[in-house]
Amino acid sequence: SFTMRSSIIVIAAALVVESTYAFAPSIAFKSTISKNTMIQREMFGGSGAPPAEEDPEADKETAAAAKAMGLSVEEFNLAGKIREQMIQDVAAIRAQGGSESGGVTVVVDGNQPAGYLKINVNDTGKALGKAGLEKAVLAALKEATEEGKKGFGDAMKEMSENISKGLSGMEDMKRPS
């Protein structure tokens, strides 16, 4: 059934995300587009020229990976595209802990462990002394990390919804008019 299939795809995408440890690039969703084309598209806002040549080896790898996950190539590519968007969304999260009035603020992204970290200590924080400042920084970091985890959870939920919507659109296109 469609619901079961979308659940399998969401679980597969989540497993790939979890296995990438802080979203390091994964082989499972290897792009079939040449690296030069990807650079052109990224550098010029997505307006790069189409690939000059097909890469049959990459196509075979993509088909094999899709088959291993029980997906069509189109479903596999959809999940990969949505996963890449999630990676960008999680990296763009800015979760804050602490407070200006408490003397310390910490900002992290949604990655676990954080790939972005900013610590601000104002005069109030400096007046806490070494031990007090250490406690304040740790408390602010813990708070920011928890907020970052919430943002990550929201991004996972959005990824799941986007995959379901994308699969629904694929199912609609397959139905005869």
Side-chain angles (χ1 to χ4, degrees):
S1 92
F2 171 71
T3 305
M4 186 173 182
R5 186 153 187 81
S6 66
S7 296
I8 291 169
I9 291 173
V10 168
I11 290 168
L15 289 173
V16 170
V17 167
E18 285 297 314
S19 70
T20 58
Y21 189 74
F23 300 106
S26 170
I27 294 173
F29 287 102
K30 187 173 182 180
S31 175
T32 58
I33 300 172
S34 73
K35 290 181 182 174
N36 289 340
T37 301
M38 286 302 291
I39 291 169
Q40 288 175 344
R41 289 187 178 167
E42 290 174 3
M43 287 177 58
F44 302 110
S47 62
E53 58 187 66
E54 294 293 319
D55 184 352
E57 193 59 36
D59 291 344
K60 286 179 189 176
E61 288 177 22
T62 299
K67 184 178 180 182
M69 295 176 94
L71 305 173
S72 71
V73 172
E74 293 81 15
E75 291 167 333
F76 183 82
N77 286 336
L78 170 69
K81 181 179 177 184
I82 292 171
R83 176 187 161 273
E84 289 300 319
Q85 182 60 52
M86 181 190 151
I87 290 169
Q88 291 174 12
D89 292 348
V90 170
I93 291 170
R94 293 298 179 259
Q96 182 173 319
S99 68
E100 291 288 326
S101 63
V104 176
T105 58
V106 173
V107 180
V108 297
D109 63 13
N111 287 306
Q112 304 295 320
Y116 174 89
L117 173 64
K118 181 179 180 183
I119 301 172
N120 242 351
V121 178
N122 61 22
D123 290 337
T124 303
K126 292 174 188 173
L128 295 173
K130 183 180 184 226
L133 182 58
E134 287 174 354
K135 286 180 184 178
V137 168
L138 287 175
L141 179 60
K142 182 178 179 182
E143 185 181 340
T145 300
E146 288 303 313
E147 287 299 311
K149 285 180 184 178
K150 288 178 189 174
F152 177 84
D154 291 344
M156 283 290 291
K157 182 179 176 186
E158 184 178 340
M159 180 182 76
S160 174
E161 291 169 357
N162 288 340
I163 288 173
S164 293
K165 287 176 191 174
L167 290 177
S168 176
M170 284 182 167
E171 290 295 320
D172 292 343
M173 288 191 294
K174 290 179 184 177
R175 290 189 191 117
S177 302

